[in-house]
Amino acid sequence: MAHLSEQEINRRENLQKIIDLGINPYPSELFPVNAYAEEIKASFNPDAPDEKEVIVAGRMMSHRVMGKASFTEIQDASGRIQVYVARDLICPGEDKTLYNEVFKHYLDLGDFIGVRGTVFVTKVGEISIRATELVLLSKSLKPLPVVKVDADGVTHDAFTDPEQRYRRRYVDLVVNREIRKTFEDRTKMYNSMREYLNEKGYLEVETPVLQPLYGGAAARPFKTHHNTLDMTLYLRIANELYLKRLIVGGIDGVYEFSKDFRNEGMSRFHNPEFTQIELYVAYKDYEWMMNLVEELVEKVAIDIHQDTKVTVGDHVIDFKRPWKRYTMFEAIEHFTGIDISEMDEAALRETAKKLEIHIDGSLGKGKIIDEIFGEKCEPHLIQPTFITDYPVEMSPLAKKHRSKPGLVERFEAICNGKEICNAFSELNDPIDQRQRFEEQLELGKRGDDEAMVLDEDFLRALEYGMPPTAGLGIGMDRLAMIMTNSNSIQDVIFFPQMKPEKKQEA
RNA sequence: GACAGCGUAGCUCAGCUGGUAGAGCAACAGUCUUUUAAGCCGUGGGUCCUGGGUUCGAGCCCCAGCGCUGUCACCA
């Protein structure tokens, strides 16, 4: 039996008293809600008060008793509205128990109540409901954090402990109402993208989360075991290789919002499970895909903010097309003054050293270039910028560049110092693809534990033939952070991964 | 993983050079039929993160641990 606080004991006693009065604290039947707080306030005309009858329901969030009359505030999905509860209105007969005992003493903040009443304005000018009927819909046994906002709009006693807010998101949502907007905007982002992609006729699909081989990205996987088949399965780190199989199958435009899982460090930019959208379109190339990304992300910004400009931290980011475009070598030269385009691995290692960038011995040429870029360029790219033409070594699934040897047709969009998408002209030459996988195996042997594994079935699919295809991945959490001005990935995920809660004393 | 900071009532926090805890809100009792951080009056509520140590005495000092936060590292 968990230790109960004084207030929890109190609430349980109140619950018993309610039951003793013959009132069901958790009634089954529906409550015929027909109005919401914000809508009532918005539609009220102070010049022609019509005393309209409404039925509302929600949590009781404040309780001001003044003898035979009281004010209480109900919080519903839309917001809050004040309710005027006068004893003789909710207890028209001789029996005043409902007001004197139940309402005044046995109801607690956080209880769900239902109210029928008429809309009016108080002396002080607050649009309120004059209750004629009040019922308990669900009793709350744990006290919510009490947050109050005074007349000057100053918040008192905010519920601020980040740990508690993430662990008890349900409480956070009740008490810190403004976070709801972040999650609504996140959903708007998904809807906006779906609308755009569906309108183009692309098919939203689902592919396996449990995979016998993990592929499509460079990352360490989560490993699990299937009992009946007695085999190791991995949680997907990307869905690229499956979506390409669908392109092989003749579905010319496919996309999937996928939860991916990477068994790596956690930070304000990394959650072990996160969401990407991946999109593949046949007969297109990466140039075409850049235009799509600009159009898509600009639309998302407009759908959420009614503007291409979005405030993020200290910056105003403008997603208006067209975005700046640099090749990776141009970007490195721009920010360091060094032209690395002709360098071999040894020279690159030397350059990294000169730039004071730590390079692990196991890293190949591509990873070294990526390190230099990540260190010296990426953080400075605030406005949305395309970086194109990556070294072939770091892009084993991308097609070799049509005119620049050693490079692939790949781009990333960088925004607010972070990558928000990654795309290429997809490699569809099965012989080249096999070689690239074999190079990855070599990197793996050198100690790169994120090197890709070889997927024979995927190669078999390519051997049947895949049309030229452009592919794209967008990190939905990262984009959501930007679109909602959130500083941490935990703020755009309802239930971010946490260490297990310390077991409470039984 | 490294470094720094934090952990005191349901919530937000105070607590001096060590003398076994305080405030506001919340709760409880009373009062009040238009209040809004309602008011007035009174009351209760704490394993001061955990475990050791120093000391006559530890919320405070020391050691270890746990948890969280931040920065860095890791991380397409």
Side-chain angles (χ1 to χ4, degrees), chain A residues 49 73 78 129 166 192 256 259 417 422 426 496:
Chain A
E73 276 175 298
S78 72
I129 299 170
Y166 299 142
S192 173
E256 177 173 15
K259 265 285 176 79
N422 182 20
E426 299 295 337

Side-chain angles (χ1 to χ4, degrees), chain A residues 345 349 358-365 367-368 371 443 446 448:
Chain A
E345 187 172 323
R349 230 167 250 288
H358 174 71
I359 298 293
D360 192 278
S362 70
L363 296 189
K365 189 175 167 187
K367 281 255 186 179
I368 297 172
E371 286 291 325
L443 285 179
R446 282 172 65 174
D448 184 346

Side-chain angles (χ1 to χ4, degrees), chain A residues 272-310:
Chain A
E273 63 177 282
F274 64 103
T275 307
Q276 290 197 92
I277 180 174
E278 288 193 31
L279 166 71
Y280 295 84
V281 184
Y283 312 113
K284 308 298 185 192
D285 66 4
Y286 79 135
E287 297 278 353
W288 177 88
M289 189 61 93
M290 262 188 274
N291 295 329
L292 179 142
V293 169
E294 282 176 336
E295 209 172 272
L296 176 64
V297 177
E298 185 192 66
K299 168 176 153 57
V300 166
I302 292 169
D303 285 349
I304 294 175
H305 297 285
Q306 293 76 50
D307 195 344
T308 58
K309 293 191 179 71
V310 179

